[in-house]
């Protein structure tokens, strides 16, 4: 066995990917990085603000402070604070004998509205987890496995070609058989390509992804409406007039009709309201960007895998409208690029292919590895017409 043949075999053996068996792909990402950020911010920020509101309530005691008459005892003043916080209604004179009332309930409902907002923002995540993740994980496992296997099959094919060429005594027979195999497409493994082509006609994943982001936009709009309609109405009101002349106290002459109270928790209320508006205003462009990514193909990922036999979705112009399951799968393949061991090898081969001087002879990884192993990717010129060599 020649030294060149041995070196070529070692080179091809090193190019083979390790066989991953047993528990594989444990770190498979089933959420895109931006979707994960949106989830943590949209769900986590209301919970953080809720904890801030509860912390202020526990540390400061009563969220209001009422200016009770001087003749009230401590217990009577505490009763005024408790009664006014329970009612939380602002009484305002709207003319002679007319009493206009305005409810300030958003102050009391602040922590619970934040909890409801967090639960609402988590609903799209649950939808994705139960409606899309099972099918997506099986698709990714199959596609990642087949891409790596297709690369390994190409390398083993070159190893087999090298052995046949080394054992063949007649180079004409070898090249004739090789050209016949290429003509009959023996080197191609179309299962994966056909599977991906079928995914172009499927729309379950993309529909779930669109619904998830649309629900996020809908719930964000509902949050804006809630904050604008209810919080803005009481945002600047620091004091309110409370009436405790109800029940047994309605006929008591020494009890004033209105008592002025001050909202000590107004600063937290304002911080929570402004923070919610700012956070969800930042999230809206991110959600819209996630939706716009479905309108274009990730052609760089596809162009790298064009070097595999029978993976020519780009060159055959098989890509149509990008709003389908295949585009969603490509986005998740990009997010799980660390699981695609063959991607780094094929990326290097693509760079080398672009810099080689024989670009017209190299289409697939089989052609390139054949060249690196010391074989011509196509029949040498001195073997194309043996009759001419014998009769010049």
């Amino acid at each position: 066995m020649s030294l060149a043949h041995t070196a070529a075999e070692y080179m091809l053996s090193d190019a083979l990917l390790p066989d991953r068996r047993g528990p594989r792909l444990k770190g498979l990402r089933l959420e895109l990085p931006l979707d994960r950020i949106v989830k943590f911010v949209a769900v986590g920020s209301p919970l953080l603000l809720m904890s801030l509101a509860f912390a202020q309530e526990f540390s400061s005691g009563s969220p209001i402070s009422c200016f009770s008459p001087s003749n009230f005892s401590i217990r009577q003043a505490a009763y005024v604070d408790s009664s006014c916080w329970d009612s939380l209604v602002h009484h305002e004179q709207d003319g002679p004998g007319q009493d206009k009332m305005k409810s300030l309930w958003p102050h009391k409902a602040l922590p619970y509205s934040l909890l409801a907002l967090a639960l609402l923002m988590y609903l799209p995540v649950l939808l994705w987890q139960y409606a899309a993740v099972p099918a997506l994980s099986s698709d990714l496992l199959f596609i990642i496995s087949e891409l790596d296997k297709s690369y390994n099959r190409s390398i083993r094919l070159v190893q087999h070609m090298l052995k046949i060429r080394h054992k063949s005594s007649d180079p004409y027979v070898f090249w004739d058989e090789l050209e016949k195999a290429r003509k009959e497409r023996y080197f191609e493994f179309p299962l994966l390509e056909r599977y991906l082509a079928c995914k172009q006609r499927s729309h379950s994943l993309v529909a779930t992804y669109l619904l998830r982001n649309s629900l996020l936009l809908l719930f964000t709009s509902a949050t804006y409406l809630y904050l604008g309609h209810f919080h803005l109405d009481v945002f600047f009101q620091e004091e309110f007039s409370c009436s405790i002349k109800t029940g047994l106290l309605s006929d008591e002459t020494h009890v004033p009709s209105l008592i002025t109270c001050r909202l000590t928790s107004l600063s937290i209320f304002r911080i929570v309201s402004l923070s919610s508006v700012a956070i969800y205003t930042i999230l809206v462009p991110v959600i819209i960007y996630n939706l716009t990514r479905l309108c274009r193909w990730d052609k760089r990922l596809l162009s790298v895998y064009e070097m595999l036999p029978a993976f020519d979705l780009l060159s055959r112009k098989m890509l149509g409208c990008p709003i389908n399951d295949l585009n969603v799968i490509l986005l998740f393949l990009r997010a799980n690029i660390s699981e695609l061991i063959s991607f780094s090898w094929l990326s290097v081969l693509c760079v080398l292919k672009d810099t080689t001087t024989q670009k017209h002879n190299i289409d697939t990884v089989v052609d390139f590895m054949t060249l690196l192993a010391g074989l011509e990717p196509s029949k040498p010129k001195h073997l194309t017409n043996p009759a001419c060599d014998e009769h010049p």
Side-chain angles (χ1 to χ4, degrees):
M1 183 179 292
S2 66
L3 184 61
H5 180 76
T6 304
E9 284 193 345
Y10 286 158
M11 184 270 296
L12 292 173
S13 298
D14 292 339
L16 283 172
L17 303 179
D19 188 13
R20 296 187 289 183
R21 293 181 179 178
R24 56 197 182 114
L25 306 178
K26 288 185 178 180
L28 201 63
R29 297 179 180 89
L30 299 174
E31 271 189 313
L32 297 177
L34 282 179
D35 290 331
R36 186 181 293 268
I37 292 174
V38 169
K39 178 186 72 173
F40 285 138
V41 174
V43 178
S45 58
L47 296 177
L48 181 63
L49 294 174
M50 182 186 70
S51 64
L52 177 64
F54 276 125
Q56 191 273 340
E57 183 177 345
F58 292 144
S59 61
S60 302
S62 178
I64 64 172
S65 177
C66 295
F67 302 99
S68 303
S70 58
N71 60 345
F72 274 33
S73 64
I74 296 178
R75 293 183 64 181
Q76 288 174 325
Y79 169 77
V80 170
D81 288 350
S82 175
S83 177
C84 289
W85 176 249
D86 288 340
S87 62
L88 209 61
V89 175
H90 173 56
H91 294 262
E92 184 178 358
Q93 295 294 331
D94 194 22
Q98 294 182 353
D99 190 14
K100 181 181 178 182
M101 292 186 296
K102 176 183 175 182
S103 177
L104 305 177
W105 67 268
H107 288 278
K108 188 185 298 185
L110 179 63
Y112 310 103
S113 62
L114 290 171
L115 178 60
L117 177 60
L119 294 175
L120 197 66
M121 289 297 179
Y122 194 66
L123 289 180
V125 179
L126 289 178
L127 172 69
W128 179 257
Q129 289 290 333
Y130 288 99
V133 164
L136 177 64
S137 61
S138 62
D139 286 339
L140 290 177
L141 286 173
F142 172 74
I143 292 171
I144 291 175
S145 176
E146 282 300 312
L147 287 174
D148 289 346
K149 287 179 181 178
S150 182
Y151 170 83
N152 272 353
R153 283 194 293 263
S154 300
I155 300 300
R156 291 192 179 99
L157 180 62
V158 178
Q159 287 179 322
H160 184 66
M161 291 167 54
L162 187 64
K163 291 179 181 179
I164 294 177
R165 178 66 184 89
H166 184 72
K167 295 178 180 179
S168 177
S169 58
D170 190 353
Y172 299 103
V173 176
F174 170 76
W175 286 109
D176 288 341
E177 291 294 329
L178 185 60
E179 289 187 351
K180 180 182 178 182
R182 284 175 173 164
K183 185 178 179 181
E184 300 293 335
R185 300 168 66 94
Y186 292 158
F187 297 162
E188 300 185 0
F189 315 101
L191 174 63
L192 180 59
E193 183 187 85
R194 293 178 182 177
Y195 182 76
L196 295 180
C198 289
K199 284 298 174 181
Q200 287 195 85
R201 299 187 291 272
S202 176
H203 298 87
S204 58
L205 287 177
V206 72
T208 307
Y209 190 79
L210 288 173
L211 182 58
R212 171 184 177 169
N213 287 277
S214 299
L215 286 176
L216 285 173
L217 291 176
L218 178 63
F219 295 155
T220 303
S221 302
T223 303
Y224 285 146
L225 291 176
Y226 173 80
L227 293 174
H229 187 268
F230 296 107
H231 282 216
L232 188 60
D233 191 37
V234 298
F235 189 80
F236 300 100
Q237 187 162 352
E238 188 173 2
E239 295 182 351
F240 68 99
S241 298
C242 173
S243 174
I244 60 172
K245 297 191 68 171
T246 58
L248 297 177
L249 297 178
S250 59
D251 296 330
E252 296 291 333
T253 57
H254 69 281
V255 176
S257 58
L258 294 176
I259 295 178
T260 302
C261 297
R262 181 174 176 271
L263 291 164
T264 58
S265 61
L266 182 63
S267 58
I268 296 297
F269 183 84
R270 289 175 175 174
I271 290 174
V272 169
S273 301
L274 293 176
S275 299
S276 299
V277 172
I279 288 170
Y280 288 106
T281 301
I282 294 174
L283 284 184
V284 167
V286 179
I287 298 172
I288 295 176
Y289 173 74
N290 287 340
L291 291 173
T292 57
R293 285 192 298 176
L294 296 176
C295 299
R296 62 182 185 275
W297 293 102
D298 186 2
K299 293 187 177 181
R300 183 178 178 273
L301 180 66
L302 290 175
S303 63
V304 170
Y305 279 96
E306 285 275 304
M307 290 199 69
L308 292 179
F311 195 89
D312 45 3
L313 294 174
L314 281 177
S315 59
R316 291 189 187 182
K317 299 182 179 180
M318 298 174 64
L319 300 178
C321 176
I323 304 179
N324 51 52
D325 286 358
L326 177 59
N327 200 8
V328 176
I329 290 173
L330 291 178
L331 291 176
F332 280 90
L333 284 176
R334 172 65 67 179
N336 290 278
I337 206 70
S338 59
E339 300 292 341
L340 277 167
I341 306 178
S342 57
F343 181 80
S344 57
W345 281 90
L346 290 174
S347 298
V348 172
L349 294 180
C350 282
V351 173
L352 296 177
K353 183 188 73 171
D354 294 336
T355 57
T356 185
T357 57
Q358 299 182 7
K359 296 180 183 179
H360 59 280
N361 289 329
I362 299 175
D363 295 323
T364 66
V365 64
V366 174
D367 298 329
F368 197 88
M369 298 306 290
T370 300
L371 182 64
L372 291 180
L375 297 176
E376 292 287 339
S378 59
K379 183 184 291 189
K381 294 182 178 179
H382 67 278
L383 297 178
T384 54
N385 194 354
C388 294
D389 297 337
E390 294 175 3
H391 307 284

